[in-house]
């Protein structure tokens, strides 16, 4: 009987590995023991084994496979960094050191025939061009649709800018090519690393880790956000969302998290790196031997409180979220995208253009930045192009969704998307699949706040209409509902 | 290679490898201990304390009862080699020697907080295997007894003490590990020489909606709680608490209804030691809980996976720092407290630094006994139905209530004599597989009689266990555990004890429906010790409930005192006149034995310390006590009334200054006087020094008392006259249970020797004997009311005789310490007063002049004494007509009274006081605080003679006492002790049934 037990264990291990099905404890187990025990014939055992294998392969449920790849993308010394204004555009801020190694981190998730790739990388932003390029290369390599690939910058202000930024970060074509290659490489590593996985999803609050930077006081926390909440208030979202992947075969577990805070904690220093998320990684690597990957949230109006404080609180919340995470039985992996036109405020743009034109004509004194904006962008803009097409994307993992958008979204819209999402838990990821700058609330346009009035001129866009946030929100929620119906 | 060689090897190799870093000195948690090699083939056992893991398939018995500490056994080790480099090689070599059997019977136990290597028998073959960390992973070194070498297979995870749970999830199944941390999850079983993935064992690792992680901050362990061979998963962290059991059918962990006590936490919120340990304290195979931190302590007994630890053995808030169970953790730091299953005592670490951590050990014995008896009271049936035969006698004797009842008794005066009776017939329910319990009434006694082999208990004609006379709660068990006998005394005298006997027998020893034939058989002869059966058939209804009676025992066993002890050599290094015999006229002629002064300081929890000094000298004068009391009050704040000093009355000790010189019939030469004064001055300094040393030596301790019997003292006035042969003993044990102070007293003149050499006489030899028996301990000896008792004289070989007497005392004290100690728990109160004893009429000048002419046979003592008094009269000095006598008592609540009487007190005082006072609780010293003269009883005073008045001249008193001395002294003692020491059952139960 001991020999039969050993055989059972071996068979169970084989089946578990091949088809993710447990033999021991099933009815087949009893049948097998009966046959083997009474007859003890190797042929009998083999026949039973083969029958079981055939039957279960046919009826085998797919299982979640997850892998991760990581590639260092530390910029070479002398690489221009983005994120902060250059007082002298001819003397950009360049990297002289690395405060923590920036990385491309790719996770490849497969369930049945569907594979999705999410890339997070420590960078100020990502251009639409790079997104298309990398999506195509990975899509070709994996034989999957490019639409199933998400590319998300963390908005690290101690890293270069890949999208255009006027006087805020020169492009570095060679480095950008290397980063694109790194994304492909990391994704291939992730694909090769795939292993059966159980997903646990949790969230916890990192109270005190971030602030709304647009108001001195009166901003409200996400826990106060209700069905009736809207742009009348400024908000800050202190929730850390965690995807914890428990993997088999002695593979390290994977940890991806989503939180909202500008990575600006190294200021205008010339040390390159991820900013506070790098410290979070260092903390968790030290404590738990796990290297978390960061997905930026909705931070158009959000700053961290400080390098150490934010990192410590976020790391603590991650651990808390992991501990309280609930297993998400992933029986569906789906990816949906939606093209959305973000409307420009062409009247305002026209008005600004005329003002600048007048200043130049009167030679009344205009800044180098304004002159450059007018000369190289505003004066040449095709006024017939009154909206910006972007792609929103949603990935469904069971009853959990990730919503990807390319904006620096004001918090209220991120919270609305989460509130109105049909999923048990929704992670709203910004700076994804391109970069459109801020999507602030209507009040920001009324007040001509920095995010509404200044930044479009940095990015070479006309300003958005004040209702742009609404457009973004409704489209995102619609997309989530659509993928939820699948 | 023996143990010492082994340790030397380790030490030597560590020096070679690590320079000056000692093998066990890198971390306070590191320990190197040699242990016995375990037998192989025993079930898998497991202990996982806070920062230590002990795992083995090969240890005999319950590993769960074992607690890693200095004296604990264990064969699975966690070894932190990460900081030491080449120690890897040392461990591998030692394990190789162990497995090859060339390492003799030793193996290391090296435990560290951050253990990176694990020593474990992964395949259950009895050999130890090694899990070793490498830079990029870990590997398993599996020992092959065939190849005599290691087979190396990968270990699936990096070794991490805090994250890897070790256990087994099926009875007889493979060794299993489970890891679930933020960074890694998985489970593996060691099957066919390799680690096989068993990821299914991570299914269901949730508790109350929260995920269970195995890393340190979560307090999760695999433990076989119910001893069924399968481990449960126990979570006892700051947030998650509960028990999961593995459902082999569903292949899923499921929550058990079993709940942990509220205070039970393996770790606190900071991830530090929460002060919880799993220990099988009641030795029923399952895992009980001991919880102890700074504020409280408790012990909970495991019942079942359904009800958990529902039986609380004890629980208390810590009122004093040193109260109760030593803290297992203090502010999250592991104190190193450990559990000794042999004595069922929780001991603090030997190197505990803080006061609270250094409390003395705490015994669970009484609590367990109380629980046991409570259980027996509920389940026991009648244990007597009819007498079969009795080779002894039948009469009446005191029962468990102190009432005279019929009884059948059997003495130990004939080997093989038997007392046999039948129980009522067993019924069907009793034989359903559970043990049978019977209760009967009985008594045992005459403890002062010589010990023999005791009694055998026969069940249906087969000897199952042996027992003997005791006055304590005692349990005897057969080697095969098929029978046990518990004696629960509820009435005791100084010699005897009566109470309930609980007999438990395995159903396989009896036939269903048949009575059990119980026999008690004498195994000895020549002793009057006896066992008695009271033929009562309705005992079940008479059981009185154990809680109240045993509560006192529990408290006594665990009260903590502060005790300090010190000794100083007070041997004169020069010739000096010795005190004791009037016939000596020259200074001492050598040293046979060195003299000592010993100091014992005792502080009870709520009282100031009290100091006792015992001095090897003939006398101790009042002025010396006063001088010392004054100095010590100034130096250390000792209250004078809490100071006692006694002399052993050795007649071979130096004379002290200002003592009466009338003993010698002539004035001392000036040179003799000078050396006496020099010695006295030196002695005073040494006594002060030894007192302060003892004071500074105060350490947590428990006190015990006993009373034995030594018979060499003989009444020297009347052959066969009264003597007091009691040998009271007071013992101080340190926190580890080691005896470090022993105080005894015996009522006998210290006059075995009569030569002119320095010696402590029998009192000195008694000290030596006790100190030999208990190395490191200090022995103190006082003398009781032995003014009219002499030892056997030694003749020419008197030193040998004195040594023999000392050995008698030492042997009896040793026996008592080993077998007969009772704990003391009361606060120590002292009282001190001086009674004035009136002398008879003082002679007139004419009478002095008349006496001065006498030249008596005793060297002219009377004449010299009279001449001294005449000289005083000439100088106008008053002749003293009253003798001030110090009377002091030390009482430990109502448990023990030590009486210190000044003077040379005759035995009548001791006997009278022991009649009026409960003799079990009183201890009477003489020669204490001052020795002005003999103190005769009324009888002795009437009879006259040396002690009755004749010796007054040697002590330089003018007249004998007036009658009334005895009452005055006895009344004072009674007054000081109060009514709580009055005898309750006077004269009952002395010796014979």
């Amino acid at each position: 009987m001991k020999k039969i037990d050993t055989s059972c264990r071996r068979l169970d291990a084989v089946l578990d590995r091949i088809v993710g099905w447990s033999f021991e404890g099933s009815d087949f187990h009893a049948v097998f023991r009966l046959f083997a025990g009474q007859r003890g014939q190797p042929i009998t055992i083999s026949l039973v084994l083969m029958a079981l294998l055939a039957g279960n392969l046919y009826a085998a449920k797919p299982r979640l496979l997850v892998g991760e790849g990581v590639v260092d993308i530390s910029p070479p010394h002398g690489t221009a960094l983005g994120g902060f204004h250059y007082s002298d555009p001819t003397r950009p801020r360049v990297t002289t050191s690395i405060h923590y190694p920036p990385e491309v981190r790719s996770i490849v998730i497969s369930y049945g025939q569907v594979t999705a790739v999410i890339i997070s990388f420590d960078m100020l932003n990502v251009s639409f061009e790079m997104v298309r390029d990398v999506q195509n290369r990975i899509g070709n390599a994996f034989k999957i649709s490019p639409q199933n690939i998400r590319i998300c910058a963390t908005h690290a202000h101690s890293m270069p800018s890949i999208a255009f930024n006027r006087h805020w970060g020169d492009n570095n074509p060679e480095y950008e090519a290397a980063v694109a290659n790194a994304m492909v490489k990391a994704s291939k590593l992730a694909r090769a690393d795939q292993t059966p996985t159980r997903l646990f999803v949790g969230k916890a609050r990192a109270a005190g880790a971030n602030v709304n930077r647009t108001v001195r006081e009166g901003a409200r926390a996400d826990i106060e956000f209700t069905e009736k909440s809207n742009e009348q208030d400024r908000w800050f979202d202190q929730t850390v969302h965690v995807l914890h992947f428990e993997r088999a075969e002695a593979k390290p577990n994977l940890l991806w998290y989503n939180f909202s805070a500008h990575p600006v904690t190294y200021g205008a220093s010339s040390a390159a790196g991820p900013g506070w998320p790098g410290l979070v990684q260092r903390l968790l690597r030290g404590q738990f031997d796990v290297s978390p990957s960061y997905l930026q949230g909705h931070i158009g109006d959000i700053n961290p409180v400080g390098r150490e404080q934010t990192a410590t609180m976020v790391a603590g919340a991650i651990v808390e979220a992991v501990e309280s995470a609930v297993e998400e039985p992933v029986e569906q992996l789906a990816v949906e995208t939606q093209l959305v036109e973000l409307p420009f405020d062409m009247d305002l743009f026209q008005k600004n253009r005329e003002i600048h034109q007048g200043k130049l004509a009167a030679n009344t004194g205009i800044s180098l930045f304004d002159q450059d904006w007018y000369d190289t962008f505003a004066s040449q803009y095709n006024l017939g192009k009154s909206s910006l097409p972007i792609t929103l994307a949603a990935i469904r993992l069971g009853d959990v969704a990730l919503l990807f958008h390319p904006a620096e979204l004001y918090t209220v819209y991120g919270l609305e998307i989460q509130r109105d999402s049909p999923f048990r838990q929704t992670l709203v990821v910004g700076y994804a699949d391109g970069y459109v700058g801020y999507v602030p609330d209507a009040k920001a346009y009324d007040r001509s706040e920095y995010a509404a009035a200044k930044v479009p001129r940095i990015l070479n866009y006309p300003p958005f209409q004040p209702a742009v946030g609404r457009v973004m929100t409704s489209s995102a929620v619609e997309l989530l509902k659509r993928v939820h119906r699948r | 290679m023996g143990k010492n060689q082994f340790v030397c090897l380790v030490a030597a190799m560590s020096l070679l490898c690590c320079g000056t870093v000692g093998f066990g000195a890198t971390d306070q948690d590191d320990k190197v201990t040699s242990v016995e090699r375990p037998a192989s083939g025993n079930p898998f056992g497991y202990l996982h304390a806070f920062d230590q893991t002990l795992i083995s398939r090969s240890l005999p018995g319950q590993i769960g009862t074992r607690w890693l500490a200095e004296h604990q056994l264990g064969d699975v080790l966690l070894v932190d080699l990460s900081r030491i480099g080449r120690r890897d090689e040392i461990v591998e070599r030692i394990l190789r020697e162990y497995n090859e059997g060339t390492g003799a019977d030793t193996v290391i136990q090296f435990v560290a907080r951050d253990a990176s290597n694990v020593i474990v028998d992964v395949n259950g073959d009895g050999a130890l295997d090694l899990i070793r960390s490498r830079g990029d992973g870990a590997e398993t070194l599996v020992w092959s007894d065939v190849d005599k070498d290691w087979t190396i297979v990968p270990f699936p995870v990096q070794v991490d003490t805090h994250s890897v749970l070790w256990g087994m999830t099926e009875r007889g199944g493979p060794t299993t590990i489970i890891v679930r941390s933020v960074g890694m999850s998985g489970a593996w079983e060691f099957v066919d020489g390799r680690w096989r993935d068993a990821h299914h064992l991570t299914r269901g690792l949730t508790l109350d909606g929260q995920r269970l992680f195995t890393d340190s901050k979560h307090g999760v362990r695999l433990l076989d709680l119910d001893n069924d061979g399968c481990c449960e998963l126990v979570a006892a962290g700051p947030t998650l608490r509960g028990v999961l059991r593995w459902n082999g059918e569903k292949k899923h962990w499921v929550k058990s209804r079993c709940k942990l006590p509220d205070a039970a936490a393996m770790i606190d919120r900071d991830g530090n030691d929460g002060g919880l340990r799993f220990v099988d304290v009641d030795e029923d195979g399952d895992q009980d809980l001991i919880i102890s931190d700074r504020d409280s302590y408790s012990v909970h007994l495991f019942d079942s996976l359904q009800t958990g630890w529902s039986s609380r053995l004890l629980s208390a808030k810590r009122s004093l720092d040193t109260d109760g169970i030593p803290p297992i953790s203090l502010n999250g730091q592991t104190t190193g407290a450990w559990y000794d299953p042999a004595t069922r005592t929780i001991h603090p670490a030997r190197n505990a630094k803080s006061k609270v951590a250094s409390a003395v050990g705490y015994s669970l014995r009484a609590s367990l006994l109380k629980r046991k008896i409570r259980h027996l009271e509920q389940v026991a049936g009648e244990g007597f139905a009819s007498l079969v035969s009795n080779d002894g006698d039948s009469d009446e004797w005191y029962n468990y209530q102190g009432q005279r009842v019929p009884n059948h008794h059997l003495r130990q005066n004939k080997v093989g004599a038997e007392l046999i009776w039948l129980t009522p017939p067993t019924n069907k329910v009793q034989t359903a597989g559970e043990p049978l319990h019977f209760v009967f009434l009985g008594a045992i006694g005459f403890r002062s009689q010589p010990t023999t082999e005791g009694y055998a208990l026969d069940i249906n004609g087969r000897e199952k266990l042996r027992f003997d006379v005791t006055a304590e709660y005692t349990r005897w068990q057969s080697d095969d555990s098929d029978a046990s006998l518990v004696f629960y005394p509820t009435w005791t005298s100084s010699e005897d004890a009566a109470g309930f006997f609980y007999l438990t027998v395995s159903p396989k020893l009896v036939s269903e429906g048949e009575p059990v034939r119980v026999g008690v058989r004498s195994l000895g002869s020549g002793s009057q010790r006896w066992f008695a059966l009271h033929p009562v058939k309705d005992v079940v209804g008479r059981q009185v409930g154990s809680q109240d009676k045993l509560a006192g025992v529990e408290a006594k066993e665990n009260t903590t005192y502060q005790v300090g002890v010190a000794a100083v050599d007070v041997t004169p290094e020069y010739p000096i006149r010795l005190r004791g015999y009037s016939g000596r006229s020259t200074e001492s002629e050598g040293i046979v034995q060195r003299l000592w002064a010993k100091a014992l300081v005792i502080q009870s929890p709520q009282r100031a310390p009290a100091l006792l000094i015992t001095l090897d000298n003939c006398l101790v004068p009042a002025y010396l006590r006063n001088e010392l009391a004054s100095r010590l009050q100034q130096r250390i704040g000792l209250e004078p009334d809490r100071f006692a000093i006694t002399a052993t009355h050795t007649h071979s000790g130096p004379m002290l200054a200002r003592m009466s010189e009338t003993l010698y019939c002539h004035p001392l030469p000036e040179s003799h006087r000078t050396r006496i004064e020099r010695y006295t001055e030196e002695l005073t300094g040494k006594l002060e020094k030894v007192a302060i040393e003892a004071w500074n030596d105060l350490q947590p301790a428990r006190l015990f008392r006993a009373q034995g019997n030594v018979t060499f003292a003989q009444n020297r006035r009347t052959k066969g006259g009264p003597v007091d042969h009691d040998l009271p003993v007071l013992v101080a044990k340190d926190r580890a249970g080691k005896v470090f102070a022993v105080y005894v007293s015996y009522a006998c003149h210290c006059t075995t020797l009569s030569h002119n050499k320095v010696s402590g006489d029998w009192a000195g030899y008694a000290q030596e004997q006790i100190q030999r028996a208990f190395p490191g301990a200090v022995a103190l000896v006082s003398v009781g009311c032995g003014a009219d008792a002499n030892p056997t004289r030694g003749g020419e070989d008197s030193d040998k005789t004195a040594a023999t007497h000392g050995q008698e005392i030492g042997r009896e004290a040793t026996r008592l310490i080993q077998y007969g100690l009772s704990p003391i728990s009361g606060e120590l109160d002292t009282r001190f007063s001086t009674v004035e004893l009136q002398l008879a009429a003082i002679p007139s000048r004419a009478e002095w002049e008349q006496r001065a002419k006498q030249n008596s046979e005793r060297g002219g003592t009377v004449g010299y004494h009279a001449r001294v008094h005449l000289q005083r009269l000439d100088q106008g000095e008053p002749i003293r007509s009253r003798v001030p006598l110090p009377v002091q008592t030390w009482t430990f609540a109502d448990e023990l009274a030590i009486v210190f009487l000044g003077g040379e007190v005759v035995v009548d005082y001791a006997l009278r006081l022991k009649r009026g006072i409960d003799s079990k609780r009183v201890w009477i010293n003489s020669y204490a605080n001052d020795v002005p003269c003999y103190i005769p009883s009324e009888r002795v005073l009437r009879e006259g003679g040396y002690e009755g008045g004749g010796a007054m001249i040697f002590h330089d008193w003018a007249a004998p006492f007036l009658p009334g001395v005895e009452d005055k002294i006895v009344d004072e003692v009674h007054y000081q002790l109060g009514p709580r020491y009055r005898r309750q059952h006077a004269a009952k139960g002395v010796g014979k049934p």
Side-chain angles (χ1 to χ4, degrees), chain B residues 790-844:
Chain B
N790 266 354
T792 308
R793 297 285 181 152
E796 290 184 359
D797 204 1
S798 57
D799 289 310
K800 188 175 178 182
T801 306
T804 303
H805 294 330
Q807 286 165 8
E808 284 181 59
I809 288 179
R811 274 199 300 270
E812 178 67 353
T814 303
R815 184 187 72 81
L816 293 168
I817 290 168
Q818 289 174 340
Y819 303 111
L821 291 181
S822 301
I824 295 174
S825 63
E827 295 289 346
L828 173 54
D829 291 304
T830 65
R831 287 187 169 192
F832 184 96
S833 66
T834 303
V835 294
E836 297 284 336
L837 306 177
Q838 182 64 50
L839 298 181
I842 304 298
S844 64

Side-chain angles (χ1 to χ4, degrees), chain B residues 650-966:
Chain B
T650 173
H651 281 42
S652 302
M655 183 170 180
L656 301 181
R658 295 156 60 189
M659 298 296 290
S660 75
E661 296 178 8
T662 52
L663 179 67
Y664 299 108
C665 317
H666 55 79
L668 293 176
E670 192 57 33
S671 60
H672 292 189
R673 194 186 304 276
T674 300
R675 276 190 280 276
I676 289 169
E677 287 174 355
R678 174 186 166 189
Y679 177 78
T680 304
E681 187 177 340
E682 290 171 354
L683 176 67
T684 308
K686 286 182 178 180
L687 294 178
E688 180 186 0
K689 177 171 175 279
V690 77
I692 291 172
E693 283 180 2
W695 189 275
N696 292 333
D697 183 54
L698 282 176
Q699 57 181 297
R702 285 218 303 270
L703 293 178
F704 301 85
R705 61 171 292 264
Q707 188 161 295
N709 191 275
V710 174
T711 57
F712 67 77
Q714 300 169 355
N715 191 298
R716 69 184 189 182
R717 290 170 58 88
T718 308
K719 188 175 182 181
V723 288
D724 178 7
H725 282 167
D726 285 350
L727 183 79
V729 178
L730 182 71
V731 176
K733 293 185 179 182
D734 69 9
R735 58 196 183 213
K738 184 184 176 188
V739 172
F740 71 97
V742 180
Y743 175 39
V744 303
S745 177
Y746 188 62
C748 184
H749 251 70
C750 217
T751 52
T752 322
L753 310 174
S754 54
H755 52 49
N756 197 20
K757 297 175 183 173
V758 171
S759 173
D761 207 302
W762 62 259
Y765 288 108
Q767 294 171 53
E768 288 183 358
Q769 175 74 15
I770 293 169
Q771 290 177 170
R772 265 197 300 275
F774 300 96
V778 173
L780 304 92
V781 174
S782 292
V783 175
C785 296
D788 48 351
N790 266 354
T792 308
R793 297 285 181 152
E796 290 184 359
D797 204 1
S798 57
D799 289 310
K800 188 175 178 182
T801 306
T804 303
H805 294 330
Q807 286 165 8
E808 284 181 59
I809 288 179
R811 274 199 300 270
E812 178 67 353
T814 303
R815 184 187 72 81
L816 293 168
I817 290 168
Q818 289 174 340
Y819 303 111
L821 291 181
S822 301
I824 295 174
S825 63
E827 295 289 346
L828 173 54
D829 291 304
T830 65
R831 287 187 169 192
F832 184 96
S833 66
T834 303
V835 294
E836 297 284 336
L837 306 177
Q838 182 64 50
L839 298 181
I842 304 298
S844 64
R845 184 176 185 90
E847 288 171 314
W848 286 123
E849 287 171 344
Q850 184 63 31
R851 290 187 189 182
K853 297 172 185 172
Q854 291 186 24
N855 188 12
S856 77
E857 294 174 355
R858 309 193 68 164
T861 310
V862 174
Y864 178 68
H865 179 247
R867 288 193 289 276
V868 169
H869 276 77
L870 285 171
Q871 194 174 0
R872 286 176 183 147
L873 290 173
D874 291 345
Q875 293 173 353
E877 290 181 20
I879 304 299
R880 297 171 299 169
S881 60
R882 290 168 181 261
V883 177
L885 189 78
V887 176
Q888 186 180 27
T889 54
W890 287 21
T891 54
F892 294 86
D894 61 353
E895 300 167 36
L896 174 66
I898 303 178
V899 179
F900 296 91
L901 298 176
E904 298 193 53
V905 185
V906 298
V907 69
D908 291 348
Y909 283 88
L911 298 180
R912 178 175 170 184
L913 285 169
K914 288 181 182 179
R915 282 195 299 273
I917 301 170
D918 187 349
S919 61
K920 288 191 306 179
R921 298 183 287 154
V922 70
W923 163 336
I924 302 166
N925 291 319
S926 178
Y927 303 93
N929 297 314
D930 187 18
V931 187
C933 58
Y934 278 87
I935 308 297
S937 61
E938 295 303 316
R939 174 182 67 85
V940 172
L941 192 60
R942 275 197 310 274
E943 291 174 0
Y946 185 71
E947 297 85 2
M952 294 301 270
I953 58 174
F954 298 108
H955 285 288
D956 198 13
W957 292 97
F961 287 111
L962 272 180
V965 172
E966 181 178 322

Side-chain angles (χ1 to χ4, degrees), chain B residues 294-297 316-324 606:
Chain B
R294 179 179 288 278
D295 301 321
S296 61
Y297 55 91
K317 293 285 181 190
R318 201 181 298 282
S319 56
L320 291 171
D321 282 353
T322 51
D323 261 4
Q606 306 287 349

Side-chain angles (χ1 to χ4, degrees), chain B residues 535-576:
Chain B
V536 180
K537 299 180 181 179
D538 59 348
V539 182
V540 170
R542 295 170 181 247
Q543 295 173 104
V544 291
S546 59
Q547 275 187 295
D548 292 342
K549 288 183 177 298
L550 285 165
V553 175
E554 186 177 352
K556 282 180 186 177
E557 285 200 346
N558 294 303
T559 297
T560 304
Y561 295 85
Q562 296 285 319
V563 176
V565 67
V568 63
D569 188 333
V570 293
T571 314
E573 301 298 343
Y574 38 81
I576 189 169

Side-chain angles (χ1 to χ4, degrees), chain B residues 97-137:
Chain B
E97 288 176 352
Y98 173 81
N99 289 332
E100 288 176 340
T102 56
D105 294 328
T106 58
V107 67
I108 61 167
Q109 175 175 302
F110 182 78
V111 183
R113 178 177 292 274
D114 301 312
S116 55
N117 284 22
V118 175
I119 297 172
V120 57
D121 177 7
V122 293
N123 53 4
D125 64 355
L128 290 180
D129 309 308
L130 174 65
I131 316 296
R132 186 165 63 184
S133 289
R134 283 285 177 254
D136 55 350

